[in-house]
Each structure stands twice: as structure tokens, then as C-alpha cells.
Amino acid sequence: PSEVQAPAVPSSAEAVNNKKRECFGVFCLASGEVFGPDQPISLKLLGSERSIQALEGVAMELEDSLYPLLRQVSIGIDPYEVFQDVEWALLIGARPRGPGMERAGLLDINGQIFAEQGKALNAVASSNVKVIVVGNPCNTNALICLKNAPRIPAKNFHALTRLDENRAKCQLALKAGVFYDKVSNMTIWGNHSTTQVPDFLNARINGKPAKEVINDTKWLKEDFTEIVQKRGGVLIQKWGRSSAASTAVSIVDAIRSLTNPTPDGDWFSTGVYTNGNPYGIAEDIVYSMPCRSKGDGDYELATDVIFDDFLRDRLKKTEAELLAEKRCVAHLTGEGNAFCD
Ligand code: LMR
């Protein structure tokens, strides 16, 4: 049997700094741990006819938790009602991937959901709403969503690749024998799929290039890359279902990265619209890239990144996959007939 390793034990000061791990999912949003202790919050939960009872249960638990900042919990199944005036939209609901399925296999099934939700956001959400798409294939779903929401800046749409970033940090920390928070500048480039590129060239451990600290290029190019790329699929095989807890944590991390200033020199990964990117990545797709925020919900792309042939080659491969997915959903983005390779 394989062993489950834990990274080096942190000192007590480090443990205190990692206090953010204490809360979880929607309860974390309600508690004030994400948007801060002075920010009242109203939670609007969108379900379906099939899930509405379960959602009522979640709403009851939220109410019974007596969170001082939680001013309203409402639930519904009509996105045109539920999305009214929302400032953050976390689009999680979609058919999940089962054992043996690739995320791209969900393109057809889930694309419709995100076209409809894009239209609803366009009609009724706050004009500066920030949208985080989690349902897979999340990059292309985010593209479908933003194309159906022309009133909202395309820059405001994100595909969640923070889970991949967290996975990559964990693997580097394990290999280097350090605690997770010693790993910085961890970029996930491209698609949230098995072509994603966990960038060990720019990653740093204790402020030094990860390549120098780990000093095992074969492991970085082969094992590390593949472990991160396939982590979601392996987890599905083991659990029989898609990751849930670590996804919830990573959604919270993604919001926090946009609502807090990025620590000096560091960056975070998020899948964003490529128009105007400085890296030569094809325009008009949603591609994960390194970003920094001033903490106002907005972000800028990091420009202090380096490339080598290996990285460039991998960036092209994940770009090609996203371009193919885009062609396959042209009917949902208003760009003609779909063509699936
Ligand atoms: C994950 O990466 O764990 C999720 O996106 C689930 C999936 O479909 O792989």
C-alpha cells in the first residue's frame, strides 16, 4: 500500500499563520473568514428541483449557526431570481465527472448550464460581479459563461485552478521536506485538465528556485507534473466521486487571493480570459495564468516570469486543448456551428 506523507511539521508560529484552514465552504463565507469581520453577507443558494430539499437543509444549518455577519439566506431554482444583484457568483453546480471520464466529456452536458447562467448573470447580477466557475470543464464553461454575459467585464470571470495550485504546492513541499507555506510563485498554466502545466521553473521554495532546492529535473518533469495533472482523476478512482472538501477549501483560497493584497513577489493561479496577455498565449480563451491582486477583487497578470523550451512546449499543448474545446462549444458561445475533434 502507498504511504500518505505529511509535509514537515510547522513551528507553532507557522501553525498560527495557517489558521485560515479552520473554516470550510459555505460556512466559511458565512463566518466572515473570507470577506472580513466587517462585511455583512447575504447568501443566495441556487439549486435544482432535484436538490432543493437538500439545499433547504443547508440553509437551515446556516441559520442555526447564528453567524453575526450572515444577514440573509435565500434559496431558489431560478437563476434570474437567485442572481439578482449578486457581487460574487460561485458556479459550482454541474454534472461531476465519474470514474474513467475525462473532463472534456462533460462539455456537452454542462455547457448548456453555463450558457444559461451567463445569460442570467448578464440580466440581473451586479455589473461588477466576480464569477468563479468550478463545474467542469471549468475553463471552457467560464468562456461559455462570459460570452453569454457581455454586460459584465470578461476579466471578472475565473475558472478555478487554485485546487491544482494547492496540489502542486503540496507535492513540492513533500519532496523538499518543508511546510506548504514555504512554496511560493506556483503557477498552474492552461486548462484544469491533464494537460495543465504545473510550473516548476518559476516556483520557489523558501525564496529559492524550486529546481535548485529539489535538484531532480527528471522528477520535476515527469513525476511531479503527472501527479498534479492526474490528481483529480486518481482521487475519483479512490473515492468513487470527485474531490469535494479540497475543492471547497480552494474556492475560499481563490476568493481570498482576490480580496487580499498578494504578498510581495508572490502570485496565485487562476483561469482568466486571455485577451491582452503578455505571454503569447492565444487570445479569446480562458487559460490559467499567474496573477496578483491589490485586494480589491481585481487582478493583474504577473510579468516577472521566465520560460524555457519545456515550459513553452507544454503551454502550447494545453492551449491546443482549450482551442479544441472552444471549437466544440461554438454553438454555446454564439460563434457558429460546433466542431468537435
Ligand atoms: C478535480 O480536479 O478534482 C475536479 O476537477 C474533479 C475532476 O473532474 O477532476
Side-chain angles (χ1 to χ4, degrees), residues 177-252:
V178 299
F179 194 59
Y180 320 104
D181 67 349
K182 298 293 179 275
V183 184
S184 67
N185 302 80
M186 186 68 248
T187 313
I188 299 295
W189 297 93
N191 203 0
H192 174 62
S193 76
T194 49
T195 66
Q196 69 176 267
V197 188
D199 175 356
F200 55 81
L201 181 66
N202 286 284
R204 300 184 88 81
I205 299 173
N206 276 323
K208 297 198 187 91
K211 270 183 94 166
E212 271 175 32
V213 176
I214 288 183
N215 197 20
D216 184 346
T217 307
K218 185 172 181 302
W219 181 85
L220 287 165
K221 282 187 171 168
E222 294 171 14
D223 306 47
F224 166 70
T225 301
E226 194 177 314
I227 289 169
V228 179
Q229 289 173 329
K230 297 193 173 162
R231 188 85 164 168
V234 170
L235 205 134
I236 290 170
Q237 271 164 9
K238 294 198 183 278
W239 261 118
R241 60 135 179 93
S242 178
S243 57
S246 53
T247 305
V249 168
S250 72
I251 295 170
V252 163

Side-chain angles (χ1 to χ4, degrees), residues 48-275:
S48 63
E49 270 166 28
R50 203 164 53 89
S51 68
I52 195 74
Q53 288 244 353
L55 213 51
E56 279 168 11
V58 174
M60 286 163 65
E61 286 213 62
L62 280 163
E63 287 170 350
D64 296 346
S65 299
L66 305 182
Y67 288 113
L69 292 167
L70 185 59
R71 299 299 150 82
Q72 187 202 8
V73 183
S74 59
I75 58 178
I77 58 171
D78 178 358
Y80 285 84
E81 274 174 24
V82 175
F83 291 168
Q84 190 76 47
D85 299 326
V86 294
E87 290 174 38
W88 285 84
L90 312 177
L91 305 186
I92 298 161
R95 178 162 163 188
R97 188 157 67 115
M101 278 174 89
E102 280 299 318
R103 292 184 186 92
L106 297 171
L107 269 179
D108 237 23
I109 306 166
N110 287 338
Q112 293 286 350
I113 297 175
F114 291 90
E116 192 203 344
Q117 295 190 350
K119 288 189 180 105
L121 287 167
N122 196 56
V124 300
S126 154
S127 57
N128 200 26
V129 61
K130 307 292 186 295
V131 183
I132 301 186
V133 177
V134 181
N136 278 316
C138 63
N139 295 56
T140 297
N141 287 338
L143 183 72
I144 293 170
C145 201
L146 74 87
K147 292 282 181 177
N148 282 279
R151 185 177 62 91
I152 299 162
K155 201 182 175 199
N156 292 15
F157 289 78
H158 298 259
L160 186 80
T161 53
R162 185 50 173 268
L163 177 55
D164 308 296
E165 176 184 328
N166 290 353
R167 288 168 172 166
K169 281 181 167 167
C170 175
Q171 293 307 315
L172 290 183
L174 286 171
K175 183 75 176 171
V178 299
F179 194 59
Y180 320 104
D181 67 349
K182 298 293 179 275
V183 184
S184 67
N185 302 80
M186 186 68 248
T187 313
I188 299 295
W189 297 93
N191 203 0
H192 174 62
S193 76
T194 49
T195 66
Q196 69 176 267
V197 188
D199 175 356
F200 55 81
L201 181 66
N202 286 284
R204 300 184 88 81
I205 299 173
N206 276 323
K208 297 198 187 91
K211 270 183 94 166
E212 271 175 32
V213 176
I214 288 183
N215 197 20
D216 184 346
T217 307
K218 185 172 181 302
W219 181 85
L220 287 165
K221 282 187 171 168
E222 294 171 14
D223 306 47
F224 166 70
T225 301
E226 194 177 314
I227 289 169
V228 179
Q229 289 173 329
K230 297 193 173 162
R231 188 85 164 168
V234 170
L235 205 134
I236 290 170
Q237 271 164 9
K238 294 198 183 278
W239 261 118
R241 60 135 179 93
S242 178
S243 57
S246 53
T247 305
V249 168
S250 72
I251 295 170
V252 163
D253 287 343
I255 302 172
R256 280 194 175 119
S257 289
L258 291 164
T259 54
N260 291 284
T262 309
D264 278 350
D266 201 0
W267 59 62
F268 56 91
S269 303
T270 176
V272 288
Y273 195 51
T274 48
N275 280 17

